[in-house]
Amino acid sequence: MALNIDWMNEAKKRKDDLVRDVQALVRIPSVRDEERAQPGAPFGPKVAEALEHMLRRGREEGFRVKNVDGFAGHVEMGQGEKLVGVLGHIDVVPPGDGWTMDPFAAEVRDGRLYGRGAIDDKGPTVAAFYAMKIVRDLGLPLSKRVRLIIGGDEESDWRCVEHYFRHEEMPEVGFAPDADFPIIHAEKGIIDADLAYRPPESVEAEGLALASFQAGRRYNMVPDAAEAVVEGVRGAEDWQERYESFCRECGVKGSIRQSEGAVAFQLEGVSAHGAEPERGKNAGVYLAQFLASLPLDGRSRPFIQFVASTFFGDARGRRLGLAHRDEQSGELTVNVGVLSYDRRHGGTIGLNIRYPVTADGDAIRRTLAGASAEHGFALSRFNDTKPHYIDPNHELVRTLQRVYEEQTGEPARLLAIGGGTYARALTAGVAFGALFPGRPDVAHQKDEYIEIDDLVKATAIYAQAIYELAK
């Protein structure tokens, strides 16, 4: 049966209700709160409130709903053995500073709906909910069930989907409206690793003593600030001149604080996502590069020299023997996300490695352990999230490509990313919107927003996609 449905018109008819429902959800400040976690609300009361809000809306619309112990829930329609999944989340990162409005007021200004979670991921999740409503309201025949799965811990540890899929069935196919259009079909593997350094007991004491070194807090962010305290410095004015010259040449900001017998070197870099480390300037690595030029003593010199010689100017892992690349997803990247050292205990290098979909995480582990051991470091932690890849010829991909092209008139290019989306929680899943090409990515930023026209367009795309996948 050939259907001639104007999906965009159906979405526009529901625009006012759609916006009101997104506003209602954004107004719940659903930041994870471990201190107030309890049975039925494992991520705190506000995440639980946001989840229950979506499930209540599902009940009001006559859908089947289920709350899976407060970790996640679902809204379901249709009949059939097979299941199509749409995977969104209602938890948000903390708002942070610098907003020009209340981050949880959900204000509409100049065609944009502002608020924490507007684009990541409350707006797109509600768009998928309305897409289900459109398919249901039109009375379209489905041969499969459609389930909007709503997680509560995507921004942290993904305990939501781990718990959910231990208790609920895995969809045959699905998509996550939690990234970019057109379609993300390849996501690199993600490794978090610690390299630990313990100073030898008997080493030369001559030279400057590195009392402490600190940069970065999160593995998946390029550190934008670093500080090192060096003791035993004579003639600090000479060091200051050298340091200022180094910072000028490297295009970073640096400052020096002097106290009795010690100098604190501070450096300000440029932050970026750990999946794209070359977009930033790693404050810790730059500061290590400068410190490597100082006559440090035998305890700290191996730590600083390894950081500088291995990571300065190399975010591709070449000097570690990790220079993998493939056609599907590109090159391996290495981000030095955390650096810490103190004179008594030694130091730790925290790495975030994004590796191509055809590379082997176990082989990377062996290479990394061997390369670091040569310099006196031990691989003390290694956490590997495997890559996710869906063949471009998979029926899911081809269906979503056709829907996107029919709705937008633009080519549905396939994207590969270093980041991780909810799609990798699905056996056969891709990320599908809701950020359109050319739009700035304001997720996790101050004054986060979603363009209301984009919200409506995404709803139309999702409605047709759900119908095509489940008919």
Side-chain angles (χ1 to χ4, degrees):
M1 178 175 68
L3 292 171
N4 188 18
I5 298 167
D6 187 339
W7 298 101
M8 190 65 188
N9 187 51
E10 293 296 332
K12 284 178 177 176
K13 284 183 198 172
R14 295 161 176 81
K15 174 180 170 181
D16 291 345
D17 289 340
L18 170 65
V19 169
R20 274 193 292 270
D21 265 337
V22 175
Q23 285 179 303
L25 188 58
V26 169
R27 285 175 182 143
I28 303 170
S30 49
V31 177
R32 187 170 82 159
D33 183 355
E34 292 282 6
E35 291 180 4
R36 298 168 69 196
Q38 59 184 357
F43 312 121
K46 290 301 178 183
V47 173
E49 182 184 339
L51 176 59
E52 188 48 48
H53 172 86
M54 284 301 299
L55 298 180
R56 186 174 65 250
R57 285 292 295 115
R59 278 191 294 270
E60 289 168 357
E61 292 294 336
F63 295 127
R64 300 183 295 276
V65 306
K66 184 174 183 179
N67 186 329
V68 184
D69 307 318
F71 284 83
H74 67 241
V75 174
E76 185 182 278
M77 70 175 186
Q79 304 295 331
E81 283 290 307
K82 293 180 177 177
L83 179 66
V84 174
V86 183
L87 192 48
H89 67 93
I90 43 73
D91 61 308
V92 297
V93 296
D97 300 324
W99 285 69
T100 62
M101 65 198 77
D102 181 341
F104 297 110
E107 288 184 39
V108 171
R109 292 188 195 173
D110 303 321
R112 295 171 173 173
L113 194 162
Y114 285 88
R116 175 58 81 228
I119 188 70
D120 182 21
D121 183 42
K122 292 180 173 181
T125 298
V126 174
F129 178 75
Y130 267 76
M132 289 175 65
K133 270 169 53 68
I134 290 170
V135 173
R136 191 274 319 272
D137 291 349
L138 291 174
L140 299 174
L142 303 180
S143 66
K144 301 171 187 175
R145 290 168 294 134
V146 178
R147 186 178 282 185
L148 173 60
I149 301 165
I150 304 158
D153 188 37
E154 192 275 345
E155 297 293 2
S156 299
D157 300 323
W158 286 32
R159 284 188 292 148
C160 49
V161 286
E162 286 175 16
H163 183 91
Y164 181 86
F165 286 122
R166 275 202 300 271
H167 297 274
E168 297 292 327
E169 69 187 287
M170 175 64 66
E172 179 194 36
V173 295
F175 64 84
D178 187 25
D180 296 4
F181 282 123
I183 298 165
I184 295 170
H185 77 119
E187 301 180 17
K188 291 178 181 177
I190 303 174
I191 292 168
D192 284 338
D194 285 345
L195 306 181
Y197 168 76
R198 298 289 170 263
E201 287 302 315
S202 55
V203 289
E204 64 192 84
E206 287 186 16
L208 304 177
L210 180 63
S212 64
F213 186 105
Q214 192 67 45
R217 293 188 186 89
R218 292 173 59 186
Y219 289 74
N220 66 347
M221 295 297 293
V222 175
D224 60 1
E227 179 176 277
V229 177
V230 179
E231 296 175 344
V233 175
R234 304 272 187 277
E237 294 76 17
D238 294 341
W239 295 119
Q240 178 148 1
E241 209 170 288
R242 282 178 60 181
Y243 187 53
E244 287 174 353
S245 172
F246 170 85
C247 291
R248 271 196 310 275
E249 287 172 17
C250 294
V252 294
K253 294 179 182 175
S255 62
I256 283 183
R257 271 198 344 266
Q258 295 182 49
S259 58
E260 196 64 41
V263 172
F265 294 92
Q266 294 171 321
L267 191 141
E268 185 181 325
V270 179
S271 186
H273 196 285
E276 299 177 302
E278 285 163 332
R279 290 193 170 199
K281 290 197 170 184
N282 193 311
V285 173
Y286 273 93
L287 185 52
Q289 177 72 2
F290 174 76
L291 294 175
S293 70
L294 306 186
L296 296 173
D297 66 16
R299 287 181 73 82
S300 56
R301 190 169 62 240
F303 179 80
I304 290 299
Q305 286 190 335
F306 179 70
V307 174
S309 64
T310 307
F311 301 109
F312 186 77
D314 180 14
R316 299 285 187 242
R318 296 183 187 96
R319 295 173 201 153
L320 288 167
L322 300 177
H324 299 281
R325 76 173 310 280
D326 63 25
E327 294 238 347
Q328 295 94 319
S329 56
E331 291 184 280
L332 178 145
T333 61
V334 179
N335 177 54
V336 182
V338 180
L339 282 167
S340 65
Y341 175 92
D342 73 67
R343 185 152 183 77
R344 277 190 62 200
H345 302 103
T348 302
I349 304 170
L351 302 178
N352 182 251
I353 299 170
R354 312 286 173 128
Y355 66 92
V357 297
T358 58
D360 179 0
D362 293 332
I364 290 170
R365 178 188 184 125
R366 291 191 296 272
T367 303
L368 183 61
S372 52
E374 290 176 13
H375 296 271
F377 286 74
L379 180 59
S380 60
R381 174 174 173 261
F382 189 90
N383 181 46
D384 181 10
T385 303
K386 298 299 182 187
H388 181 71
Y389 177 74
I390 302 297
D391 190 291
N393 292 314
H394 194 290
E395 187 181 354
L396 167 68
V397 174
R398 294 169 76 93
T399 299
L400 296 182
Q401 281 185 303
R402 178 167 52 79
V403 168
Y404 181 83
E405 289 174 356
E406 286 178 11
Q407 287 297 321
T408 66
E410 301 289 332
R413 293 184 304 110
L414 299 184
L415 308 175
I417 61 168
T421 78
Y422 250 178
R424 68 171 72 208
L426 299 166
T427 303
V430 297
F432 191 45
L435 188 70
F436 285 94
R439 295 294 196 198
D441 186 355
V442 292
H444 298 198
Q445 306 295 315
K446 61 187 178 184
D447 292 347
E448 178 185 344
Y449 65 86
I450 188 167
E451 298 276 357
I452 290 173
D453 286 349
D454 289 356
L455 180 68
V456 173
K457 185 158 67 167
T459 302
I461 291 170
Y462 294 152
Q464 185 181 354
I466 285 169
Y467 172 67
E468 296 287 351
L469 292 171
K471 68 183 180 182

